[in-house]
Amino acid sequence: MKLFVYHTPELTPNGQVPDCAIAVDVLRATSTMATVLAGGGEAVQVFSDLDQLLEVSEQWPAQKRLRAGERGGAKVAGFELGNSPLDCTPELVEGRRLFISTTNGTRALQRVQDSPVVLAAAFINRAAVVQYLLEKQPETVWIVGSGWEGSFSLEDTACAGAIAHSLVEKSQSSQDDLAGNDEVISAIALYSQWQDNLLGLFHQASHGKRLLRLECHEDLKYCASTDILNVLPIQREPGVLKSQ
């Protein structure tokens, strides 16, 4: 297995797809997706365009759908949800499909949606992602951070490092054997420095600060929790993720 980390979707190689792609948007899209599926959601369907989301979701019965729209960290007017995983309680999401469009996370998923296997990862479901990789042993794995509007984000790269760090610990591979690019080494180093204070890292991150200004303190605490959900969001058709 060779692991490649890309800080943003824009940095992935053109015209290529890996055997397995992992989209990461810790704050907060992939954390929300994992939470919805762990709470019994039927599926999560992702969109970059809000108008397309509204058009497609109209084809579903109102009682079987939830619409989540977020831009700049804030909820889009007219949508039931923004991008807070804490709003996605089992009572609300069970049996329903979440139609979601966010500033960054949905772009990462759409960039890799042609890969044979597409997963969504965050700190909260890191262990489930690692277990899948250890069992399936895909030859090439991309971990694609969402970043913020095309630029690097601390929290997504730290999560990529958390996945890589755990793979090194649990497999017979060395860090050197596993790393397909230098970004893997840097991601592991970042995670290793902050693994005991991920919330502190979020407070240093530009998007973490943006969410703090929006009073999303509890969201940051939740998204900084590691390995609390045994759920693996996996793409079943382009743009549609279900629990494995």
Side-chain angles (χ1 to χ4, degrees):
M1 189 191 319
K2 277 291 181 187
L3 193 62
F4 298 81
V5 169
Y6 298 102
H7 300 310
T8 68
E10 292 80 6
L11 291 171
T12 57
N14 288 326
Q16 297 180 38
V17 292
D19 297 308
C20 176
I22 304 169
V24 177
D25 184 10
V26 171
L27 297 175
R28 296 164 287 171
T30 53
S31 297
T32 296
M33 293 171 193
T35 301
V36 167
L37 293 176
E42 181 266 333
V44 175
Q45 190 162 351
V46 302
F47 299 84
S48 55
D49 182 77
L50 290 167
D51 290 333
Q52 187 188 17
L53 184 160
L54 290 169
E55 182 183 335
V56 173
S57 63
E58 277 299 320
Q59 299 164 24
W60 283 70
Q63 69 273 20
K64 289 292 185 182
R65 71 174 184 233
L66 284 168
R67 296 190 281 214
E70 172 266 323
R71 290 293 183 269
K75 183 167 85 76
V76 176
F79 285 69
E80 291 105 329
L81 298 167
N83 192 19
S84 172
L86 296 180
D87 290 339
C88 300
T89 61
E91 294 78 16
L92 181 66
V93 304
E94 188 171 5
R96 302 170 91 174
R97 177 170 292 210
L98 181 74
F99 297 85
I100 185 170
S101 180
T102 70
T103 307
N104 302 293
T106 47
R107 281 175 34 255
L109 279 160
Q110 290 188 319
R111 166 60 189 93
V112 297
Q113 70 180 18
D114 293 333
S115 305
V117 176
V118 177
L119 310 175
F123 284 108
I124 58 175
N125 72 324
R126 188 265 311 253
V129 172
V130 169
Q131 185 62 34
Y132 178 90
L133 296 175
L134 291 171
E135 287 176 5
K136 302 297 184 183
Q137 292 288 320
E139 196 168 323
T140 55
V141 179
W142 291 3
I143 306 179
V144 182
S146 298
W148 177 263
E149 295 183 344
S151 61
F152 174 90
S153 71
L154 280 170
E155 68 277 2
D156 291 346
T157 298
C159 185
I163 294 167
H165 183 272
S166 184
L167 282 171
V168 170
E169 279 193 336
K170 294 177 183 298
S171 71
Q172 303 305 310
S173 301
S174 68
Q175 183 173 286
D176 204 34
D177 291 335
L178 191 69
N181 61 3
D182 287 356
E183 288 89 335
V184 175
I185 307 298
S186 68
I188 292 173
L190 178 65
Y191 171 69
S192 297
Q193 180 177 345
W194 288 94
Q195 60 181 312
D196 297 325
N197 186 19
L198 291 174
L199 185 58
L201 174 70
F202 290 2
H203 281 244
Q204 296 289 322
S206 58
H207 191 36
K209 291 175 181 176
R210 199 174 288 112
L211 291 171
L212 287 170
R213 288 194 294 272
L214 292 168
E215 303 293 321
C216 296
H217 302 82
E218 295 304 314
D219 275 12
L220 292 191
K221 288 181 187 176
Y222 177 76
C223 293
S225 307
T226 304
D227 303 338
I228 60 169
L229 295 183
N230 185 25
V231 64
L232 185 70
I234 186 166
Q235 182 174 264
R236 295 304 186 194
E237 58 186 272
V240 177
L241 294 103
K242 298 192 175 189
S243 180
Q244 191 195 28

